[in-house]
Amino acid sequence: RLQESRERLSVCSKLCYAVGGAPYQITGCALGFFLQIYLLDVAQLDPFYASIILFVGRAWDAITDPMVGFFISKTSWTRFGRLMPWIIFSTPFAVISYFLIWFVPDISRGQVMWYLVFYCIFQTLVTCFHVPYSALTMFISREQSERDSATAYRMTVEVLGTVLGTAIQGQIVGKVVTPCIESPLFIGKTNSSVAMEELNMTRDTGSLTDTRNAYMIAAGVIGGLYILCAVILSVGVREKRESSELQSDEPVSFFQGLKLVMNHGAYIKLIAGFLFTSLAFMLLEGNFALFCTYTLGFRNEFQNILLAIMLSATFTIPLWQWFLTRFGKKTAVYVGIPSAIPFLIVVAVLGSNLIVTYIVAIAAGISVAAAFLLPWSMLPDVIDDFKLQHPDSHGHEAIFFSFYVFFTKFTSGVSLGISTLSLDFAGYQTRGCSQPSEVHFTLKMLVSAVPVGLILLGLLLFKLYPIDEEKRRKNKKALQDLR
C-alpha cells in the first residue's frame, strides 16, 4: 500500500501530462480534415500531385516513427530525463514548418516540392515530439491503474485538441467564402449569360487571397498553442527512470529488442485489430470535408459538422473510460467502435439533410471517442505482458509505441493517396462549384462503404487478442512480485 501511494499521480501531474497530447492532435486534425481540400481548392494543385504529397508525407511520417524510436532507445538519461529533451528541442522547428505548410509561395513552379518538403519536415519534427511523449506513459508510474487514469486524462485532452484543431481551423477559414468556378459543362447546359452572372457573383463573395490569409492566421494560432502545451508538459511532468524498470533489468540492443517486440503475439494481434479500425476513421477524416462540401452540398456548414463530431467525442471519453473499467477493454472495443457503422450508412443513403447530418455527426463522435481511447489504453497492457515474458529486456517502450504508429500512418498514407487518385480518375474539378456524379459516388464510397468494411475486418482480427481482464489482473500481480 505504501508503494502504491508513492506511485499515485496528482491531478495536476495528470493534467500537465495530458496537455502534452494536444499539439499532435490539434495539428493532425487540422491537416487531416483540411489539407486535402486546401491543396485542391486553395493551392490549386492537380489532384494527382495532391495525392503524391498526401501519400509521401504520411509514408515518410510512418518511416520516421521507428527511426525516432531507435534514436530514443540510444539516448542517455539527462537531468531532464531521456524523453523530455526530444520534446523540448523539436517544438520550435515543428511550429515553423507547420506554418509554412499553409503558406502559398509566389512561384510558378516548385509548389508541389514546397508542400512535399515542408510536410515531410513537419511530420519528422512532430514525430520527435509524439513518440517520446507516447512512451512517457510508461515512465510516469508503475501502477496500471495510475497509467490508465493518466491515459484517460490524456485522451480527453487529445480529443479536446481535435475539437480545438477543428474549431480554430474551421471557424477561421469558414468565415471566408472560397470562390468557386462553374464547370464549362454547366455553363454549356444553361443560359450562358445567367451562368456567367452567377460565376461573377461567386468571385465577388470572396477572394482567394483572403482564404489563403485565413489559413495562415489559423496556422499561427495553432502554432502558439503547440508551444504553450509543450511548455506546460515540460514544466509539470517529471520523468521517473525507475517507473519502467524491473529488478532484473539488463540492457538489450535495439535490434534484439525489435525482434523480441515483433515476435510478441499479443502486440501483433493488437496492431492487426486496430490497424484497420484506425484506417477506417482516418479515411473518413481525410475525405469528410469534400463529402460535406460537394456531395451533401453544405459548403458553408461543413466546419460546424466536423465540430459536432469532435465535441461529441470529447464529452463521451469519460463514459468510455468508465465502461472499460466496468466491463473490460475488449468489450469496450466490440461495443464502441462498430457503433458508427449504422450512422455511416445512413448519411450516405439519405443524402443532403442538414438535421440528419448533425444527428449522425453527434452519434459518430461517440464511436470516434472509443477509437481514440482504446488503443492507447491497451498498449501499456501489452508492454506489461512483454516484460513478464522477457524480464531481462528493458528500454523498448518507444519501439512498441513507434511501430504501432508506423503501421497506422503508413496505411493511412496509402489510403489517402489512393482516395485522392480515385477522385482524380472520377473527374474532380479543382475549385468547382459542383462535381460530376462520379465524384459524388466516389466520395460516398470513401466515407461510408470502405470505412464500414475496414471496421468489420478489424473487429474480426481483434478476436485473436489474448489479454482480457483476467489476464490483465494476473499480469499486474506478477509484475508487482517481480519488482
Side-chain angles (χ1 to χ4, degrees):
R1 289 178 180 174
L2 180 61
Q3 179 65 30
E4 288 184 2
S5 66
R6 289 174 179 173
E7 291 292 332
R8 290 193 178 277
L9 300 171
S10 67
V11 173
C12 181
S13 296
K14 292 177 183 177
L15 285 173
C16 290
Y17 165 75
V19 165
Y24 181 79
Q25 296 300 336
I26 294 174
T27 56
C29 188
L31 290 167
F33 279 126
F34 293 92
L35 183 60
Q36 186 182 47
I37 197 170
Y38 168 82
L39 294 174
L40 293 174
D41 288 356
V42 180
Q44 301 182 62
L45 298 182
D46 183 271
F48 174 75
Y49 293 117
S51 69
I52 291 176
I53 293 170
L54 292 171
F55 167 69
V56 175
R58 285 288 185 122
W60 174 250
D61 185 24
I63 293 170
T64 58
D65 282 293
M67 288 172 57
V68 172
F70 169 77
F71 288 118
I72 288 175
S73 69
K74 296 297 183 182
T75 302
S76 301
W77 280 86
T78 68
R79 63 190 184 95
F80 298 107
R82 191 176 69 175
L83 305 173
M84 202 64 74
W86 286 82
I87 295 171
I88 295 171
F89 291 114
S90 65
T91 295
F93 302 104
V95 171
I96 294 171
S97 59
Y98 178 78
F99 180 81
L100 293 175
I101 292 174
W102 302 103
F103 175 75
V104 180
D106 188 18
I107 50 178
S108 57
R109 296 182 180 180
Q111 276 194 347
V112 174
M113 188 58 63
W114 172 281
Y115 291 113
L116 183 60
V117 168
F118 284 110
Y119 189 32
C120 290
I121 290 174
F122 172 73
Q123 297 290 14
T124 302
L125 292 167
V126 80
T127 296
C128 292
F129 182 105
H130 192 63
V131 169
Y133 172 74
S134 299
L136 191 61
T137 308
M138 305 301 298
F139 290 86
I140 55 177
S141 176
R142 284 186 291 193
E143 284 297 313
Q144 283 184 349
S145 59
E146 290 301 297
R147 295 201 305 254
D148 286 346
S149 176
T151 299
Y153 275 80
R154 170 190 166 187
M155 290 300 107
T156 303
V157 173
E158 286 197 3
V159 177
L160 182 60
T162 64
V163 172
L164 285 174
T166 306
I168 293 169
Q169 191 85 7
Q171 297 304 315
I172 292 177
V173 172
K175 291 185 180 299
V176 180
V177 180
T178 304
C180 62
I181 299 174
E182 292 291 358
S183 66
L185 181 63
F186 174 81
I187 295 175
K189 289 183 177 179
T190 57
N191 183 288
S192 60
S193 61
V194 174
M196 291 306 297
E197 182 179 350
E198 291 180 358
L199 177 58
N200 291 333
M201 287 177 63
T202 58
R203 284 176 173 170
D204 291 338
T205 56
S207 166
L208 193 58
T209 302
D210 293 337
T211 304
R212 292 172 176 176
N213 290 337
Y215 273 99
M216 286 191 289
I217 291 170
V221 174
I222 289 174
L225 286 174
Y226 192 117
I227 294 173
L228 177 62
C229 292
V231 170
I232 293 174
L233 173 66
S234 59
V235 171
V237 176
R238 185 171 70 89
E239 189 178 341
K240 301 175 182 178
R241 184 173 186 173
E242 69 277 4
S243 290
S244 68
E245 293 183 345
L246 301 177
Q247 291 178 355
S248 57
D249 281 342
E250 293 293 338
V252 177
S253 73
F254 174 83
F255 292 104
Q256 287 176 310
L258 178 60
K259 183 178 179 181
L260 289 173
V261 167
M262 300 312 293
N263 286 329
H264 188 56
Y267 180 61
I268 298 301
K269 291 166 185 174
L270 183 71
I271 286 179
F274 278 118
L275 181 65
F276 291 99
T277 56
S278 300
L279 183 56
F281 287 101
M282 289 179 182
L283 196 62
L284 178 65
E285 176 189 68
N287 294 280
F288 196 73
L290 290 172
F291 177 74
C292 288
T293 300
Y294 294 111
T295 303
L296 298 182
F298 303 140
R299 179 178 291 273
N300 298 322
E301 197 69 31
F302 77 87
Q303 69 271 10
N304 297 323
I305 298 171
L306 297 179
L307 189 58
I309 294 174
M310 293 307 162
L311 283 173
S312 173
T314 302
F315 290 129
T316 50
I317 280 283
L319 170 66
W320 288 118
Q321 175 62 21
W322 169 83
F323 189 94
L324 67 85
T325 303
R326 178 70 177 80
F327 299 101
K329 297 177 182 180
K330 287 190 71 171
T331 305
V333 169
Y334 291 123
V335 173
I337 293 179
S339 63
I341 291 177
F343 301 104
L344 293 177
I345 296 173
V346 166
V347 76
V349 172
L350 290 184
S352 182
N353 186 312
L354 187 59
I355 296 176
V356 172
T357 303
Y358 270 110
I359 294 173
V360 169
I362 293 170
I366 299 173
S367 184
V368 170
F372 262 87
L373 175 64
L374 289 166
W376 299 110
S377 179
M378 297 169 81
L379 266 177
D381 298 338
V382 172
I383 297 174
D384 286 342
D385 187 66
F386 175 83
K387 287 180 178 179
L388 286 174
Q389 295 185 28
H390 306 90
D392 294 328
S393 178
H394 73 97
H396 307 305
E397 293 81 4
I399 300 176
F400 277 97
F401 285 96
S402 62
F403 270 90
Y404 170 74
V405 178
F406 166 80
F407 288 114
T408 55
K409 286 180 178 178
F410 185 80
T411 51
S412 71
V414 173
S415 68
L416 280 175
I418 292 175
S419 66
T420 310
L421 273 179
S422 301
L423 293 174
D424 189 22
F425 292 141
Y428 180 86
Q429 301 293 321
T430 302
R431 287 181 61 199
C433 294
S434 60
Q435 298 292 341
S437 59
E438 292 84 358
V439 172
H440 296 314
F441 176 78
T442 302
L443 286 171
K444 284 184 179 181
M445 292 296 102
L446 292 173
V447 302
S448 180
V450 178
V452 167
L454 290 170
I455 289 173
L456 293 175
L457 181 57
L459 292 175
L460 287 174
L461 291 171
F462 195 78
K463 290 183 68 68
L464 302 172
Y465 179 67
I467 302 178
D468 54 17
E469 287 305 296
E470 182 181 358
K471 174 77 169 175
R472 194 170 70 89
R473 285 192 291 268
K474 289 180 179 178
N475 285 351
K476 178 181 178 180
K477 177 67 168 60
L479 277 174
Q480 289 174 341
D481 294 340
L482 262 180
R483 292 186 176 115

